Amino acid sequence: MDVQEAVAEGTASAENGEVKRDGRKQFTMGPSDIFEGKLIYDGSIHADGRLEGEVRVSGNIDVASGAQVKALLEGSNVSLKGTIEGAVTARDKLTLGKNARLSGDVVVRRLQIDDGATLNGHVRMGDFEHQASGQ
Amino acid sequence: MLGPADRLVGQLYIEGDLRVSGTVEGALEATGDIVISDGGKVNGAVTAYNRLVVGTAASLVGSDVRVGRLTVEDGATFSGHVSMGKEAVERRPPPVEVVPEPVAEATPVDQPVDVVIPQPEKPIQKGKRR
C-alpha cells in the first residue's frame, strides 16, 4: 500500500503535516487544521481540528480531544478522544478515551472503553488476519 | 452476585447492583451498576441504568446494550448495539411481550377475480394496513 491520495484543504497538506516517527510516516493535524476528503496513507495520522471524509491508514489513528471528526476511519490501533461521527474500523485495537464521543458502527479486534466515554452504535469484534492489506 | 459456577437462563430485573462472574443466557436489567468480571459470560440484552463494566476476561455478546455509562477493559469480548446516556435508559422498553402479530387476513375475495388462477401469493398489500 503505497498510495497517497490527499485532497486537503487549509494547512494540512501532506508536506507540512508529515513527521517521521519511529521510521514511519505520520500525518499530523493541528487544532486549527481542516481536512476534507479522502486520505489513504501508509503511515499513521494524528488528527486534531476538523476532519471530514474518509481516512484509511496502514498505521495508527489518533484523534485528539478537541477534534471534530465526521469521517470513516480505518487503521490498526485507533485511539479516540474527540467527537467522532462515523464508522470506525480498528484492525487491532480501538481505545475510547474518557472524553470521547463516538456515534457510529464499530468493527474491532480488541476494544477498550474508558469510563466517561460515550458510544452509540453497533459494535462487532472480528479477526482481520486476511483483511489487513486488502483494502 | 452470580459466582463463577452460577448460571442464569432467563430474565433478571434487579433493584441495585449486579456482579456476574458466571454465565447468563438472557436479559439483565439493573437500576444500578452491572459488572461482568473474571470469566463472566453474558449472552443477551443488558440494561444498566447507571454503569456497565465488562472486565478483561469477561464476555458480553448482547443484542441490545443500554447503559448510562460504559467501561470495557482491554481484553474483554464485547459486541452488540450500544445505546448510551440518560435518554437510552430512561425510556426503557417494556419487558418482552410475546404478542403474536395479527396474521394478515387471507381474504382475496374482495377483488373481482375473474382470472382462473386464484393464487393469493402476495397478500402483503391487503392484509396489514387498511
Side-chain angles (χ1 to χ4, degrees):
Chain A
M1 189 159 111
D2 207 5
V3 197
Q4 266 187 55
E5 187 182 306
V7 189
E9 183 182 275
T11 52
S13 81
E15 284 300 311
N16 284 339
E18 198 168 286
V19 182
K20 296 260 187 188
R21 201 183 63 175
D22 309 332
R24 299 204 63 170
K25 291 185 296 180
Q26 188 181 25
F27 186 90
T28 305
M29 288 173 65
S32 54
D33 292 347
I34 297 171
F35 176 89
E36 283 175 6
K38 180 174 174 179
L39 176 70
I40 298 172
Y41 191 65
D42 187 15
S44 296
I45 176 169
H46 171 85
D48 205 341
R50 210 177 85 212
L51 175 62
E52 275 179 33
E54 182 178 337
V55 173
R56 292 176 192 270
V57 300
S58 62
N60 304 335
I61 298 176
D62 180 23
V63 174
S65 59
Q68 296 282 333
V69 176
K70 266 189 200 172
L72 186 154
L73 301 177
E74 184 187 318
S76 291
N77 289 291
V78 182
S79 167
L80 307 177
K81 297 191 187 77
T83 304
I84 298 98
E85 222 176 280
V88 177
T89 301
R91 288 186 298 269
D92 194 11
K93 183 178 165 187
L94 170 67
T95 308
L96 289 185
K98 64 180 165 68
N99 296 320
R101 301 181 68 87
L102 170 61
S103 358
D105 293 348
V106 163
V107 183
V108 294
R109 204 161 80 87
R110 281 156 64 207
L111 175 65
Q112 179 183 334
I113 300 179
D114 293 345
D115 189 19
T118 306
L119 166 64
N120 281 288
H122 197 85
V123 178
R124 191 165 70 83
M125 272 198 172
D127 228 329
F128 296 88
E129 293 291 313
H130 308 289
Q131 234 179 304
S133 59
Q135 295 166 0
Chain B
M1 161 103 194
L2 283 170
D6 300 339
R7 187 181 167 89
L8 169 75
V9 179
Q11 263 182 297
L12 175 66
Y13 172 84
I14 193 163
E15 295 274 344
D17 302 343
L18 175 67
R19 177 178 284 270
V20 179
S21 333
T23 309
V24 175
E25 298 273 343
L28 296 180
E29 185 171 340
T31 54
D33 300 354
I34 296 180
V35 178
I36 308 169
S37 60
D38 305 319
K41 277 188 170 50
V42 176
N43 202 160
V46 173
T47 306
Y49 288 30
N50 188 35
R51 185 176 169 200
L52 170 67
V53 179
V54 186
T56 302
S59 154
L60 168 57
V61 179
S63 44
D64 209 4
V65 179
R66 293 167 176 274
V67 290
R69 283 153 65 199
L70 173 65
T71 306
V72 176
E73 291 172 8
D74 188 16
T77 303
F78 182 92
S79 61
H81 188 86
V82 183
S83 314
M84 209 161 160
K86 287 239 161 54
E87 326 77 63
V89 280
E90 265 175 8
R91 188 182 55 81
R92 64 173 158 139
V96 189
E97 291 172 46
V98 191
V99 182
E101 278 198 16
V103 184
E105 307 161 37
T107 47
V109 201
D110 294 329
Q111 290 188 348
V113 186
D114 292 335
V115 201
V116 200
I117 319 133
Q119 250 191 326
E121 278 276 57
K122 299 173 187 172
I124 317 143
Q125 303 280 16
K126 302 164 202 163
K128 286 223 170 181
R129 292 167 219 278
R130 294 186 278 155

